């Protein structure tokens, strides 16, 4: 009785939220439902015929979940997915309630939920997942999460209570993530990249997070650096080393901002994959999605087809028509992610026009000191113009000044509307505008673009 009331209340709240334009109705319905029936998530999750998949990590949760959703749908499975990216328990509850009858029967076979890093322990306890996918750990929102060691400790506690029959899909290239997963007694499926794109020889960034062995404290020795602190590593002290992944991406090629391709190898099967998702970080995401899909018994052909048909989620490689000019929106919210976004922009354009939007609301993290760990210097001699906006626009302009940008390169706009118009006006024929926002800045710019008819509400994507 309580469960039926909770489901009905959640649906009503979602409808009212959208009708009154208060939001997408992606979290409030779940909060109301949980208040009425605290066991709602556990009860509905237990009725998913093919179980629940949880995806967590600092970067790539939304894109990995979208890619896995594309694969599962390509295989003909009905999924229940927190597609709008509401990744707290309230978002999971909202998605479950939206796909349940009042009698509690689920209209879906697989629950697919991206999960906030700090919420993973509670999500594991509530859903008893069939598969957990762990992507990476980078510094992010230090005022909210603390250093990554604190998140790692939370994950360690979550994995300690993970059912032994659950499969752990994890990133072998991230030393901290791999170390967390060593003690799981159930099935595991590690994934990783076999090589850098185009044979690129990268070195550890100064902002790399997990560079010391978690067993003995010695610095890792890398034979390959791919992204941030990820790559092929070993400890010269205790011998801890990157596990050999069962699912590997080879022949990785980045096609500027137009996407990427690779060959995914698993159990002797080679799966050519091509994606419109730009950047090396998205190669990791689709490899993780492929590893999770194979764990669920999805056929390799569906893996390749699902990845090929996955379109970018809102704000994450999303292309927008700005009145006859094209813009590419690339969410950037921490040093490791921002550095990869800058590499992607510079691969795509010789002298790009860039709009950077920095907010410091709770969902972004109130502490913006991380801007000083981003390598904006790589953009200095290439960017034709940079427009900065957002609640911390002046801080961003100051960071660019210290990165050596000339005053003529940088302009500050205090509203999203004028920033978009100013940046669009700087484009030449055939050029693309690169929009690099933090999370709430991205949502704000999309609201403006939605009013102009350029995009749909994020909950409709």
């Amino acid at each position: 009785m309580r469960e039926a009331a909770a489901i009905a209340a959640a649906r009503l709240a979602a409808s009212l939220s959208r009708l009154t334009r208060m939001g997408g109705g992606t979290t409030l319905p779940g909060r109301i439902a949980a208040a009425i029936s605290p066991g709602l998530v556990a009860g509905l999750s237990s009725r998913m015929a093919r179980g629940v998949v949880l995806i967590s990590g600092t970067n790539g949760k939304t894109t990995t979940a979208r890619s896995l959703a594309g694969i599962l749908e390509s295989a003909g499975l009905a999924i229940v997915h927190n597609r709008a990216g509401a990744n707290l328990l309230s978002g999971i509850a909202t998605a479950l309630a939206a796909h349940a009858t009042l009698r509690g029967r689920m209209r879906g076979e697989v629950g697919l939920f991206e999960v906030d890093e700090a919420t993973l322990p509670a999500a594991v306890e509530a859903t008893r997942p069939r598969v957990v996918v762990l992507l990476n750990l980078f510094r992010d929102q230090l005022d909210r999460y603390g250093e990554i060691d604190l998140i790692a400790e939370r994950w360690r506690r979550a994995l300690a209570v993970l059912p032994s029959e659950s499969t752990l899909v994890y990133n072998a290239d991230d030393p901290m993530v791999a170390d967390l997963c060593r003690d799981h007694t159930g099935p595991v499926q590690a994934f990783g990249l076999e090589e850098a794109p185009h044979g690129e020889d990268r070195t550890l960034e100064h902002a790399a997070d997990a560079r010391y062995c978690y067993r003995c404290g010695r610095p890792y020795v890398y034979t390959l650096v791919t992204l941030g602190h990820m790559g092929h590593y070993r400890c010269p002290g205790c011998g801890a080393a990157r596990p050999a992944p069962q699912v590997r991406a080879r022949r990785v090629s980045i096609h500027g901002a137009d996407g990427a391709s690779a060959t995914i190898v698993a159990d002797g099967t080679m799966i050519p994959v091509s994606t419109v998702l730009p950047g090396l970080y998205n190669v990791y995401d689709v490899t993780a999605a492929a590893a999770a899909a194979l764990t669920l018994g999805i056929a390799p052909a569906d893996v390749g087809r699902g990845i090929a048909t996955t379109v970018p989620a809102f704000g994450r490689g999303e292309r927008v028509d700005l009145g006859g000019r094209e813009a590419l929106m690339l969410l950037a919210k921490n040093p490791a992610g921002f550095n990869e976004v800058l590499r992607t922009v510079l691969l795509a354009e010789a002298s790009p026009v860039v709009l950077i939007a920095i907010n410091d609301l709770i969902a972004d993290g109130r502490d913006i000191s991380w801007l000083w760990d981003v390598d904006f210097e790589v953009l200095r001699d290439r960017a034709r113009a940079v427009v900065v906006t957002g609640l911390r626009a002046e801080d961003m302009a100051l960071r660019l000044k210290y990165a050596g940008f000339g005053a003529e390169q940088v302009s500050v706009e205090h509203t999203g509307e004028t920033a978009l118009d100013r940046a669009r006006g700087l484009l030449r024929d055939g050029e693309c505008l690169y929009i690099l926002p933090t999370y709430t800045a991205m949502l704000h710019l999309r609201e403006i673009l939605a009013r102009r008819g350029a995009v749909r509400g994020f909950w409709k994507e």
Side-chain angles (χ1 to χ4, degrees):
M1 194 68 180
R2 291 170 69 95
E3 186 179 272
I7 293 169
R11 288 185 184 173
L12 179 62
S15 298
L16 289 175
S17 181
R18 290 166 188 170
L19 280 173
T20 58
R21 299 181 183 276
M22 291 178 62
T26 57
T27 57
L28 179 62
R31 289 180 189 167
I32 294 172
I36 297 171
S37 176
L40 183 78
V41 170
L44 296 183
S45 294
S46 68
R47 289 167 220 157
M48 302 301 302
R50 300 186 65 160
V52 166
V53 179
L54 300 181
I55 298 174
S56 195
T58 307
N59 293 333
K61 296 182 289 291
T62 301
T63 299
T64 302
R66 287 285 182 109
S67 299
L68 182 55
I71 294 169
L72 298 180
E73 288 169 345
S74 180
L77 295 179
I79 60 173
V80 177
H81 180 195
N82 54 347
R83 192 174 179 82
N87 55 26
L88 303 179
L89 275 184
S90 55
I92 296 174
T94 300
L96 286 165
H99 290 80
T101 68
L102 291 180
R103 293 177 180 272
R105 186 172 64 81
M106 295 307 300
R107 300 192 187 96
E109 301 164 86
V110 183
L112 172 56
F113 305 119
E114 65 165 279
V115 182
D116 172 88
E117 302 92 284
T119 303
L120 184 66
V124 166
E125 184 177 352
T127 64
R128 309 287 290 175
R130 176 180 173 186
V131 178
V132 173
V133 182
L134 299 182
L135 300 172
N136 48 61
L137 280 173
F138 294 109
R139 268 179 295 152
D140 188 30
Q141 302 184 47
L142 288 176
D143 54 320
R144 180 178 169 217
Y145 294 131
E147 292 288 350
I148 57 174
D149 303 85
L150 296 177
I151 294 296
E153 188 52 38
R154 288 190 182 194
W155 281 16
R156 199 180 298 279
R157 291 199 300 269
L159 298 184
V161 298
L162 187 66
S164 59
E165 64 272 21
S166 300
T167 300
L168 196 50
V169 176
Y170 72 93
N171 185 348
D173 292 354
D174 187 316
M176 181 172 275
V177 172
D179 187 70
L180 286 171
C181 298
R182 290 183 202 281
D183 298 329
H184 182 58
T185 56
V188 297
Q189 178 98 297
F191 65 89
L193 269 54
E194 284 299 281
E195 60 205 23
H198 316 295
E200 190 178 347
D201 184 20
R202 294 186 177 189
T203 56
L204 276 180
E205 300 168 358
H206 71 277
D209 295 312
R211 60 176 69 200
Y212 297 98
C213 177
Y214 290 93
R215 301 279 164 166
C216 71
R218 294 277 294 273
Y220 287 120
V221 174
Y222 283 78
T223 56
L224 174 70
V225 175
T226 54
L227 193 163
H229 56 258
M230 300 197 310
H232 297 187
Y233 54 88
R234 66 175 177 83
C235 172
C238 68
R242 172 191 184 245
Q246 292 94 347
V247 178
R248 311 180 300 280
R250 300 174 55 192
R251 300 172 186 165
V252 176
S253 182
I254 307 298
H255 310 308
D258 295 327
S261 58
T263 299
I264 292 177
V265 182
D267 291 330
T269 301
M270 302 182 76
I271 310 171
V273 296
S274 178
T275 175
V276 297
L277 302 168
L280 184 62
Y281 46 98
N282 282 322
V283 175
Y284 268 108
D285 294 343
V286 299
T287 305
L294 294 169
T295 295
L296 292 168
I298 304 300
D302 288 321
V303 172
R305 188 162 46 244
I307 289 173
T309 55
T310 297
V311 298
F314 59 98
R316 298 153 171 95
E318 181 181 27
R319 292 187 181 274
V320 180
D321 182 357
L322 291 178
R325 304 285 192 188
E326 185 178 56
L328 179 64
M329 192 175 290
L330 298 163
L331 177 68
K333 60 190 185 74
N334 50 53
F338 217 128
N339 284 339
E340 280 307 308
V341 163
L342 292 176
R343 284 194 182 95
T344 300
V345 171
L346 294 176
L347 269 175
E349 198 86 33
S351 53
V353 175
V354 179
L355 192 165
I356 301 176
I358 304 296
N359 277 1
D360 63 348
L361 299 178
I362 291 175
D364 305 294
R366 305 307 301 268
D367 177 0
I368 59 163
S369 61
W370 60 271
L371 290 175
W372 294 87
D373 286 333
V374 180
D375 296 329
F376 289 107
E377 287 77 4
V378 301
L379 195 62
R380 179 187 57 215
D381 298 327
R382 295 276 302 276
R384 189 157 59 77
V386 181
V387 177
V388 298
T389 189
L391 299 174
R392 304 303 291 264
E394 283 81 5
D395 296 83
M396 187 65 241
L398 180 67
R399 174 67 185 92
L400 294 179
K401 178 180 179 180
Y402 277 87
F405 283 70
E408 72 286 355
Q409 278 179 289
V410 180
S411 57
V412 177
E413 296 290 341
H414 291 102
T415 71
E417 288 88 347
T418 59
L420 285 167
D421 293 339
R422 167 86 174 160
R424 183 191 177 283
L426 292 168
L427 295 174
R428 298 168 179 160
D429 289 346
E431 287 185 336
C432 175
L433 171 64
Y434 297 90
I435 303 175
L436 316 182
T438 57
Y439 184 69
T440 68
M442 178 268 287
L443 295 181
H444 176 60
L445 291 175
R446 286 192 91 262
E447 286 176 6
I448 297 168
L449 293 168
R451 289 198 296 270
R452 295 180 179 184
V455 299
R456 304 172 68 200
F458 69 89
W459 62 91
K460 299 176 182 175
E461 292 286 322

